[in-house]
Amino acid sequence: MKKQCVLVSGGAGYIGSHTTVELIEAGYDVVIVDNLSNSEIGAVESVRRITGVDIPFEQVDCCDREAFRKVFEKYEFDSVIHFAASKAVGESVQKPLLYYGNNLTSFMNVVGLMHEFGRQNVVFSSSCTVYGEPDKQPVTEQTPRKPATSPYGNTKQTCEDILRDTLKAYPEMKGIALRYFNPIGAHPSAQIGELPRGVPQNLVPYVTQTAAGLRECLSIFGDDYPTPDGSCIRDYIDVTDLAKAHVAAIGRMVGDKNKENYEIFNIGTGRGVSVLELVNKFEEVNGVKVNHKIAPRREGDIIAIWADPSLANNELGWKAERTLDETLKSAWEWEKHLRGIK
Ligand code: UDP
């Protein structure tokens, strides 16, 4: 039987590179498309090294419809996983037109070209940001979406709506939106991981860079929230586990196991962890010190959110497997690899 091929847009990025490894290990062929605007070609080379496969790579911006069309003409993939997007919440507030332009245009091109070329299955990278500050924990897929608080969040909601409406109009196509909680950690090989440019905005890269001595002190944004220790609560999901959820989503559509042609799944662990717990755990499992201080709340942060992942567990046959200890160790191994720390 011919191998199924998946186009991974944003395959040089953090989640895209990990997903490419898992797809290859599950027996798929992959084509990577990335404009390298926020990623390095080195990640593609590392993925090739880990898998032993010379994965085709096209440096193309998904917003450039004509260039992207050539990729559709050149390769016979049946499915697309669309990661390529701008992802910094704060930056999106400063540069809304950049975010609406990039994130909406690239996704419209993905679904538009898929329809034009008769390609069937699409996975969209959504986010728990669509729930805003939820009234009840944990959140299920039925939990109402709240109005987005940033252009970034708005692009996630709008792309979900674009997908829903498109799949209603074109019932021969199928799509799955995966709502990620907080992806952290790195591949067990320590050859790929998160590669923030400049000062990290996310918690774990800031923690690892502080432990490595690149940053002086981690600021914990708020210790006066109505939570047990006063810091915010999130559902931290291992990036390799998250990558496997994409393989399960593709397998569901390819194997015709989907119940509707548009489905949504929460991808989280079901476990809420506070910022202080996470930092303490990181120090404990890695035997390193993370200099930190309590700082004022960060504008726009929600207090607490964690997933009810039972729909993904039952329907996708996917479950988060790595423990928080393992994930935090992998994050540190990756930082040490980057900095040449023994
Ligand atoms: N956070 C923090 N210090 C930092 C970065 C993040 O205390 O330098 C906190 C942030 O306030 C939030 C949690 O860590 O409660 C996760 O933040 P992140 O930016 O990683 O993800 P978000 O949940 O905002 O998407």
Side-chain angles (χ1 to χ4, degrees):
M1 205 180 88
K2 189 176 138 285
K3 270 179 146 186
Q4 290 275 343
C5 182
V6 182
L7 181 138
V8 177
S9 79
Y14 177 41
I15 307 173
S17 58
H18 288 79
T19 299
T20 301
V21 170
E22 297 305 319
L23 284 166
I24 300 277
E25 286 179 358
Y28 291 93
D29 283 337
V30 173
V31 177
I32 295 177
V33 169
D34 202 303
N35 66 358
L36 301 179
S37 64
N38 191 25
S39 55
E40 307 285 338
I41 188 65
V44 175
E45 285 153 9
S46 298
V47 169
R48 287 177 178 151
R49 235 184 355 262
I50 293 167
T51 58
V53 175
D54 193 19
I55 303 156
F57 168 73
E58 299 286 341
Q59 185 169 353
V60 165
D61 187 335
C62 301
C63 292
D64 180 346
R65 196 165 175 120
E66 289 321 305
F68 201 13
R69 173 176 278 112
K70 294 204 171 71
V71 179
F72 277 74
E73 284 165 355
K74 184 167 171 190
Y75 299 96
E76 282 186 37
F77 48 87
D78 320 275
S79 307
V80 177
I81 306 181
H82 180 60
F83 293 106
S86 305
K87 64 171 184 179
V89 179
E91 186 189 39
S92 81
V93 177
Q94 307 302 322
K95 302 176 184 167
L97 297 178
L98 176 78
Y99 273 67
Y100 288 118
N102 275 349
N103 293 6
L104 302 186
T105 308
S106 64
F107 191 55
M108 299 260 288
N109 286 344
V110 166
V111 287
L113 288 166
M114 285 183 74
H115 179 248
E116 187 182 322
F117 283 79
R119 312 290 166 88
Q120 229 184 353
N121 312 310
V122 57
V123 177
F124 173 64
S125 298
S126 192
S127 162
C128 68
T129 190
V130 301
Y131 297 115
E133 182 81 67
D135 299 324
K136 239 176 52 201
Q137 306 286 356
V139 293
T140 74
E141 292 77 1
Q142 259 63 55
T143 299
R145 292 187 333 188
K146 294 260 178 85
T149 53
S150 69
Y152 163 79
N154 212 352
T155 67
K156 291 295 171 193
Q157 294 195 345
T158 306
C159 285
E160 284 192 356
D161 296 344
I162 290 171
L163 187 56
R164 180 200 59 207
D165 296 345
T166 305
L167 294 173
K168 202 167 164 195
Y170 305 133
E172 68 281 11
M173 289 174 70
K174 300 173 185 177
I176 292 180
L178 298 179
R179 290 180 177 159
Y180 314 155
F181 284 66
N182 287 57
I184 62 164
H187 192 260
S189 67
Q191 299 298 304
I192 50 173
E194 196 167 1
L195 209 59
R197 287 196 173 156
V199 182
Q201 303 297 311
N202 295 110
L203 178 62
V204 169
Y206 208 105
V207 166
T208 57
Q209 289 197 6
T210 307
L214 271 85
R215 310 276 155 210
E216 216 162 281
C217 185
L218 166 76
S219 293
I220 309 244
F221 297 139
D223 71 343
D224 54 354
Y225 285 103
T227 60
D229 66 21
S231 63
C232 293
I233 296 176
R234 296 288 183 274
D235 184 335
Y236 294 96
I237 170 86
D238 184 275
V239 68
T240 301
D241 280 338
L242 174 59
K244 288 178 179 161
H246 295 78
V247 179
I250 291 289
R252 181 174 176 85
M253 293 188 285
V254 167
D256 255 332
K257 294 192 209 90
N258 53 301
K259 294 195 170 139
E260 311 279 343
N261 77 329
Y262 175 47
E263 296 177 311
I264 299 172
F265 296 102
N266 282 343
I267 305 297
T269 66
R271 172 195 61 207
V273 174
S274 78
V275 177
L276 283 165
E277 279 171 341
L278 186 123
V279 173
N280 291 337
K281 193 74 163 167
F282 182 91
E283 291 186 316
E284 179 196 317
V285 299
N286 292 310
V288 287
K289 183 120 189 44
V290 179
N291 211 357
H292 59 274
K293 61 168 192 241
I294 305 299
R297 292 180 177 195
R298 180 171 72 177
E299 205 189 313
D301 270 342
I302 59 163
I303 304 166
I305 186 165
W306 65 93
D308 176 346
S310 43
L311 192 68
N313 299 163
N314 299 332
E315 290 292 323
L316 285 181
W318 168 92
K319 200 169 185 307
E321 277 166 358
R322 281 176 106 192
T323 63
L324 185 59
D325 288 24
E326 287 170 318
T327 304
L328 292 175
K329 278 188 197 162
S330 74
W332 181 227
E333 288 306 316
W334 165 242
E335 188 70 50
K336 286 198 291 185
H337 165 85
L338 278 178
R339 312 298 163 200
I341 300 171
K342 291 280 170 249

